[in-house]
């Protein structure tokens, strides 16, 4: 018996591997939110006036809003005055100029997370922007990308270096009036990534941003903007982790994608924020607004997300299919274990003729976790011959977990074809027994069955990350059966 | 190889196995026949370690060790294979992948290195040929969308790859057409060897036309009530079970 207990403990202990804290001096502003705080953030980032004006408009609008309550989530009240809205590791006044000037502790942190930032050690073919709390620490391969005409840099640099692009595109996909968390983000966002792929360019590398929350009592409010100009192509991946703490921390991000004629963006997420402990103490609130605007003919966006972490996830990466023949795809695996909650899905808004969308959502719920798929397919009168296919599967493990499906459809064009399939199943005892009879341990059997269930989504991930995602899923579900 | 002594087991609250005795020697082929609901699958499941049964008495030793203390996967590593009466579908899990993981788990248990990928591929191709299975079956999800007969053939294919010491085959012949029955029987015969034993559950003599058993047992009411050689199966085929039941009915 005691052997078994120590086995179990070993599993639990290794469950969240990224829960460490980096001990580093930081410049953290006191908790609280008001116009002065916003001015301070904008000042720290040395922003042009238009940026500050926009932030203030967003803030004033946010003050008139209330938190959304339509999701199937149980959220403890958030005290927005008790959060610090800016925290940066201490460094030279104007920030490090090269990697040699970056605090070794930061480099070590990313090393530990499996993201080496030295270009010679980096994963072949992947450029990384490393965001630590409110600032970007470094962005690798900037020169190599610049040779191809690709801009990949921290958002704060972009505001200074390419203000005309920012002013032209910022908030055009997710306006600050979009929702409560988008308004908050617009007011206080600190860093994130900016990508511009010029006409006809196929980005020579995978781009990725790695978000790390380190400081306690802070929120992370990053903002990402990707513009794929006509005929261009880019694949982008984001990853996220945070230390283990007993308090909840807020992460409210906004991602805007703009896809012009004949262009394509593939956007993948491996979300592994700290999920809280078994009793539901601590963990990240992951309240995120992501939207892609397919503006031109034949433009295409593909969202792939592996949502494994966070105490609460509220997230609906969406596609506005404006262009004729534009294509939107959403592939999702969401895993909730213990006391985690997730309300996630997508919106497909068909405006252009012959626009097509595919939704494949795989939800896995274990322990006491509750999970909802919420998806809207809306076909406007202009969207002749629009097509949507939705497939939405849930897998339950254990008796206390729950899965819910909320599909919404609004079809205003009679030529549209919309299909929806949904299944809910349990990991059947006989499947487990079958695998174990062949010689797999119970744990390996669960992993194999779950990975089989998620296969259609995993194969959409860039190769380098598919293996990582699979391993992450296995770790997230450790101890879920038995 | 296998020694079952006075085995009692419940499914739910019902006692199904009621003092079952059976001994299987190394290299022997035993057939078990018996009326529906008599406990044949229960015996197979209890031997393989399936949840949902409670052993209330008796012992089972396998190659000298106590079988009933082991987890299902440990029994597999020691060489027990169960061919399921109703093989399970596992969507998204590649047939070959499952077998490779199973073999490697056993290698690990034995303290041996992982199997060589090229050699593994050769083995599964050979065995697929033996079972006259299309290569495409190897890369399909485990049993998903397989016909009833294909599932049974896949069970024997898996057995051929895993090379167990004791194969328990639960109605592998049910649902097979005549050609498939011959293929399955040939597959089983190809695996017969001096150090491998079989426990074959079947309702029909026709399988035993191809696989000649060393012993035939009748399981009824949770016990082996009669044992004999292969002629017993012919007699059962001709006369049914009633005469055996009558013969062994205990008065009072
Ligand atoms: N969980 C359970 N609870 C109660 N009774 C059960 C349970 N599982 C099996 N049984 C019963 O145990 C008896 C033996 O079942 P078993 O499947 O072992 O029979 P069998 O000999 O394999 O029959 P068949 O020839 O039809 O395959 C049956 O009467 C069955 O209904
Ligand atoms: Mg049976």
């Amino acid at each position: 018996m005691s052997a078994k207990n120590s086995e179990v403990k070993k599993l639990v202990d290794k469950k969240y591997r990224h829960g460490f804290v980096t001990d580093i001096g930081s410049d953290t502003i006191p908790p609280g939110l008001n116009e002065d705080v916003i001015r301070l953030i904008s000042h720290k980032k040395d922003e042009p006036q238009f940026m500050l004006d926009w932030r203030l408009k967003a803030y004033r609008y946010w003050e008139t809003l209330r938190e959304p309550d339509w999701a199937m989530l149980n959220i403890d009240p958030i005290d927005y005055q008790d959060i610090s809205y800016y925290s940066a590791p201490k460094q030279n006044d104007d920030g490090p100029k090269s990697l040699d000037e970056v605090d070794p502790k930061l480099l070590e942190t990313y090393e530990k997370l499996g993201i080496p930032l030295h270009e010679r050690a980096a994963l072949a073919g992947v450029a990384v922007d490393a965001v630590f709390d409110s600032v970007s620490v470094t962005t690798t391969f900037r020169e190599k990308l610049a040779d191809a005409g690709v801009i990949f840099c921290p958002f704060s640099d972009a505001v200074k270096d390419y203000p005309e692009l920012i002013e032209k595109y910022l908030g055009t996909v997710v306006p600050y009036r979009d929702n409560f968390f988008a308004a908050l983000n617009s007011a206080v966002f600190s860093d994130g990534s900016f990508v511009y792929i010029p006409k006809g360019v196929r980005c020579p590398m995978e781009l990725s941003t790695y978000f790390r929350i380190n400081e306690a009592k802070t929120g992370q409010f990053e903002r990402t903007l990707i513009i794929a100009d006509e005929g261009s192509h880019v694949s982008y991946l984001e990853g996220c982790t945070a230390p283990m703490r007993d308090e909840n921390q807020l992460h409210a991000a906004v991602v805007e994608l703009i896809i012009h004629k004949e262009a394509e963006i593939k956007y993948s997420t491996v979300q592994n924020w700290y999920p809280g402990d078994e009793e539901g103490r601590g963990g990240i609130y992951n309240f995120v607004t992501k939207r892609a605007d397919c503006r031109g003919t034949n433009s295409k966006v593909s969202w792939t997300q592996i949502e494994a972490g966070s105490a609460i996830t509220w997230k609906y990466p969406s596609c506005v299919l404006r262009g004729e023949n534009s294509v939107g795809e959403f592939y999702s695996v969401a895993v909730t274990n213990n006391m985690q909650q997730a309300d996630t899905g997508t919106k497909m808004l068909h405006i252009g003729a012959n626009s097509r969308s595919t939704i494949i959502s795989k939800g896995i719920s274990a322990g006491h976790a509750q999970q909802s798929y919420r998806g809207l397919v809306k076909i406007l009168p202009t969207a002749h011959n629009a097509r949507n296919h939705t497939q939405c599967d849930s897998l339950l493990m254990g008796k206390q977990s729950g899965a819910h499906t909320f599909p919404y459809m609004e079809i205003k064009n009679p030529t549209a074809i919309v299909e929806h399939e949904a299944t809910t199943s349990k990991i059947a005892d006989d499947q487990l027994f079958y695998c174990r009879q062949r010689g797999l341990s119970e744990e390996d059997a669960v992993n194999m069955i779950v990975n089989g269930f998620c296969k259609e989504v995993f194969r959409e991930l860039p190769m380098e990350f598919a293996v990582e995602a699979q391993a992450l899923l296995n770790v997230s579900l450790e101890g879920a059966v038995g | 190889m296998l020694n079952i002594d006075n085995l009692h087991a419940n499914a739910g609250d019902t006692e199904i196995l009621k003092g079952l005795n059976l001994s299987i020697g190394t290299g022997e082929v035993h057939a078990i026949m018996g009326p529906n609901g008599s406990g044949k699958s229960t015996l197979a499941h209890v031997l393989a370690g399936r949840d949902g049964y409670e052993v209330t008495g008796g012992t089972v030793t396998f190659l000298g060790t106590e079988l009933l203390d082991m987890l299902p996967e440990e029994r597999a590593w020691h060489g027990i294979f169960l061919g399921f009466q109703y093989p399970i579908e596992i969507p998204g899990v590649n047939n070959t992948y499952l077998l490779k993981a199973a073999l490697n788990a056993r290698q690990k248990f034995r303290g041996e290195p992982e199997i060589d990928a090229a050699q593994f591929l050769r083995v599964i191709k050979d065995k697929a040929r033996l079972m006259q299975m299309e290569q495409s079956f190897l890369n399909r999800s485990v049993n998903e969308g397989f016909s009833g007969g294909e599932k049974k053939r896949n069970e024997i294919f898996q057995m051929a790859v895993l090379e167990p010491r004791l194969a328990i085959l639960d109605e592998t012949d049910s649902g097979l057409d005549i050609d498939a029955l011959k293929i399955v029987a040939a597959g089983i015969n190809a695996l017969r060897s001096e150090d491998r034993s079989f426990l074959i559950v079947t309702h029909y003599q026709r399988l035993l036309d191809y696989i000649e058993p060393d012993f035939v047992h009748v399981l009824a009411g949770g016990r082996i009530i009669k044992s004999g050689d292969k002629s017993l199966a012919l007699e059962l085929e001709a006369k049914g079970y009633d005469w055996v039941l009558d013969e062994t009915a205990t008065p009072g």
Side-chain angles (χ1 to χ4, degrees):
Chain A
M1 206 70 261
S2 78
K4 185 154 189 198
N5 277 341
S6 75
E7 238 355 78
V8 169
K9 189 158 164 10
K10 219 162 67 198
L11 290 181
V12 172
D13 287 350
K14 84 169 195 224
K15 190 167 273 179
Y16 192 75
R17 282 174 301 193
H18 306 307
F20 63 91
V21 179
T22 307
D23 180 17
I24 192 165
S26 71
D27 164 20
T28 303
I29 63 175
L33 184 54
N34 53 51
E35 292 200 3
D36 288 342
V37 168
I38 288 162
R39 283 176 216 283
L40 182 64
I41 293 171
S42 187
H43 175 73
K44 277 183 182 293
K45 298 205 162 279
D46 198 15
E47 286 178 348
Q49 187 64 36
F50 81 86
M51 223 29 269
L52 176 61
D53 294 344
W54 195 71
R55 285 175 182 278
L56 288 171
K57 271 193 282 186
Y59 175 70
R60 286 166 198 151
Y61 181 66
W62 176 75
E63 279 192 305
T64 68
L65 298 179
R66 291 185 42 224
E67 285 162 318
D69 59 2
W70 41 261
M72 212 174 128
L73 299 170
N74 238 321
I75 309 173
D76 283 342
I78 300 168
D79 182 353
Y80 292 92
Q81 296 303 333
D82 196 34
I83 296 173
S84 164
Y85 288 84
Y86 185 88
S87 177
K90 277 221 168 71
Q91 52 195 16
N92 305 344
D93 272 356
D94 29 310
K97 285 180 191 61
S98 76
L99 216 49
D100 302 333
E101 294 170 41
V102 173
D103 190 320
K105 276 190 182 156
L106 287 174
L107 297 180
E108 214 176 277
T109 300
Y110 283 91
E111 198 83 37
K112 243 166 124 173
L113 295 169
I115 324 280
L117 296 178
H118 283 288
E119 293 188 2
R120 62 190 135 74
L123 203 49
V126 183
V128 180
D129 183 18
V131 177
F132 191 88
D133 289 331
S134 305
V135 294
S136 169
V137 175
T138 189
T139 307
T140 61
F141 296 107
R142 272 172 86 161
E143 282 93 58
K144 183 174 173 193
L145 289 166
D147 288 346
V150 171
I151 305 170
F152 178 42
C153 67
F155 203 98
S156 357
D157 288 7
V159 169
K160 283 179 281 187
D161 298 345
Y162 313 99
E164 67 297 338
L165 284 175
I166 299 291
E167 214 173 350
K168 181 169 172 195
Y169 288 107
L170 179 72
T172 60
V173 185
V174 180
Y176 66 76
R177 290 177 164 266
D178 195 75
N179 68 71
F180 181 89
F181 296 110
L184 177 63
N185 173 287
S186 304
V188 303
F189 77 91
S190 31
D191 226 328
S193 301
F194 175 78
V195 177
Y196 176 78
I197 316 287
K199 268 186 197 163
V201 171
R202 181 168 254 277
C203 185
M205 307 181 79
E206 278 303 320
L207 305 184
S208 86
T209 304
Y210 198 91
F211 295 100
R212 175 74 178 168
I213 295 179
N214 187 62
E215 191 68 24
K217 299 223 137 205
T218 59
Q220 194 179 53
F221 304 92
E222 91 264 2
R223 193 154 185 123
T224 294
L225 175 59
I226 302 180
I227 302 146
D229 217 325
E230 292 179 13
S232 70
H233 178 285
V234 64
S235 168
Y236 175 93
L237 182 126
E238 60 174 354
C240 351
T241 61
M244 293 160 77
R245 289 208 175 87
D246 282 348
E247 316 90 53
N248 297 110
Q249 276 179 284
L250 179 61
H251 170 257
V254 170
V255 174
E256 297 181 277
L257 309 184
I258 291 135
I259 305 121
H260 289 291
K261 201 165 87 186
E262 314 278 344
E264 177 175 352
I265 296 180
K266 187 169 171 56
Y267 191 106
S268 316
T269 302
V270 177
Q271 186 265 104
N272 188 23
W273 295 118
Y274 177 54
D277 68 10
E278 271 104 303
E279 270 97 62
R281 267 187 309 255
I284 303 292
Y285 289 168
N286 187 35
F287 301 157
V288 173
T289 306
K290 294 184 169 178
R291 195 169 304 148
D293 193 352
C294 285
R295 293 197 177 164
T297 310
N298 295 325
S299 53
K300 176 174 177 185
V301 65
S302 179
W303 297 102
T304 305
Q305 59 171 21
I306 311 298
E307 300 285 322
S310 299
I312 305 179
T313 296
W314 178 95
K315 177 182 173 188
Y316 316 89
S318 306
C319 304
V320 181
L321 303 173
R322 221 182 282 282
E324 252 176 56
N325 300 320
S326 56
V327 176
E329 296 173 339
F330 175 74
Y331 300 100
S332 170
V333 167
V335 189
T336 44
N337 194 0
N338 297 316
M339 303 296 282
Q340 281 177 279
Q341 306 175 63
D343 192 300
T344 183
T346 183
K347 279 189 275 186
M348 295 290 174
L349 179 61
H350 290 256
I351 301 171
N354 300 313
S355 50
R356 281 165 291 147
S357 62
T358 303
I359 299 172
I360 296 187
S361 160
K362 305 276 180 177
I364 301 159
S365 218
H368 290 80
Q370 292 295 326
Q371 195 179 118
S372 306
Y373 166 80
R374 191 179 301 279
L376 168 68
V377 176
K378 188 166 178 173
I379 314 260
L380 295 192
T382 47
H384 299 291
N385 298 315
R387 297 275 180 282
N388 165 267
H389 178 79
T390 299
Q391 186 191 325
C392 190
D393 301 318
S394 313
L395 188 67
L396 296 174
M397 297 168 73
K399 293 190 177 61
Q400 268 99 36
S401 59
H404 318 274
T405 306
F406 303 101
Y408 306 91
M409 283 178 220
E410 284 176 44
I411 298 158
K412 306 227 167 80
N413 185 311
T415 61
I417 298 180
V418 175
E419 304 162 333
H420 180 94
E421 289 173 39
T423 65
T424 299
S425 52
K426 286 181 69 88
I427 284 210
D429 289 343
D430 51 9
Q431 288 179 329
L432 275 177
F433 176 64
Y434 190 83
C435 294
R436 294 178 72 187
Q437 203 304 303
R438 297 302 182 245
L440 270 67
S441 68
E442 182 169 43
E443 187 128 351
D444 289 347
V446 170
N447 290 340
M448 192 176 278
I449 294 166
V450 168
N451 282 314
F453 175 76
C454 300
K455 199 177 200 171
E456 287 160 284
V457 175
F458 283 159
R459 69 169 174 228
E460 296 298 326
L461 283 174
M463 260 262 281
E464 298 88 327
F465 301 102
V467 179
E468 188 189 319
Q470 199 161 329
L472 171 62
L473 207 68
N474 297 351
V475 171
S476 306
L477 287 171
E478 262 165 18
V481 160
Chain B
M1 171 163 300
L2 182 76
N3 254 302
I4 305 174
D5 184 29
N6 195 26
L7 181 64
H8 289 258
N10 293 353
D13 293 331
T14 324
E15 181 167 65
I16 311 293
L17 301 182
K18 304 172 180 170
L20 187 140
N21 295 302
L22 180 66
S23 248
I24 299 180
T26 307
E28 292 174 357
V29 174
H30 290 240
I32 290 200
M33 307 182 80
N36 292 135
S38 58
K40 302 179 299 296
S41 293
T42 302
L43 172 64
H45 287 146
V46 168
L47 293 177
R50 188 183 182 136
D51 274 350
Y53 301 94
E54 188 196 358
V55 175
T56 53
T59 55
V60 179
T61 53
F62 176 63
L63 297 168
T65 48
E66 190 50 60
L67 185 72
L68 299 177
D69 292 344
M70 289 188 242
L71 297 172
E73 55 270 33
E74 291 171 328
R75 301 179 196 206
W77 301 334
H78 279 92
I80 298 244
F81 177 89
L82 171 62
F84 286 67
Q85 182 173 358
Y86 306 107
I88 310 299
E89 300 191 6
I90 310 178
V93 174
N94 182 294
N95 225 349
T96 307
Y97 185 60
L98 171 71
L99 281 173
K100 194 169 177 190
L103 275 177
N104 278 331
R106 188 174 71 193
Q107 291 293 97
K108 194 170 160 197
F109 167 74
R110 291 179 177 167
E112 284 167 19
E114 295 210 338
I115 42 168
D116 174 69
Q119 192 200 331
F120 172 72
L121 272 179
R122 259 197 311 280
V123 170
I124 61 164
K125 280 193 176 156
D126 275 1
K127 308 287 181 172
R129 207 170 305 124
L130 172 72
M131 294 310 297
Q132 301 187 21
M133 279 168 67
E134 299 261 348
Q135 294 287 319
S136 64
F137 274 83
L138 301 178
N139 295 319
R140 279 171 63 178
S141 296
V142 178
N143 293 324
E144 195 186 24
F146 286 29
S147 75
E150 287 165 349
K151 285 181 183 169
K152 294 298 181 67
R153 223 193 282 190
N154 192 32
E155 294 290 287
I156 301 305
F157 163 69
Q158 293 187 14
M159 173 181 79
V161 173
L162 295 171
E163 302 189 317
R165 297 296 307 279
L166 172 67
I168 304 162
L169 305 178
D170 192 358
E171 293 198 29
T172 303
D173 54 335
S174 302
L176 294 179
D177 66 37
I178 296 158
D179 292 334
L181 181 73
K182 284 186 192 162
I183 293 165
V184 161
I188 294 170
N189 281 329
L191 278 172
R192 278 180 87 152
S193 86
E194 277 171 15
D195 53 9
R196 180 169 301 123
S197 311
F198 290 85
L199 180 60
I200 297 174
V201 175
T202 182
H203 285 295
Y204 307 107
Q205 163 61 31
R206 51 173 202 169
L207 177 68
L208 305 179
D209 287 342
Y210 299 105
I211 305 165
E212 221 174 85
D214 300 303
F215 299 94
V216 174
H217 310 277
V218 177
L219 199 165
R223 257 181 291 198
I224 303 287
I225 57 165
K226 192 172 180 68
S227 300
D229 61 13
K230 60 182 177 181
S231 63
L232 176 58
L234 290 165
E235 206 172 345
L236 291 168
E237 177 99 333
K239 299 201 271 180
Y241 289 110
D242 283 351
W243 66 277
V244 194
L245 297 173
D246 290 344
E247 195 176 78
T248 54
T250 40

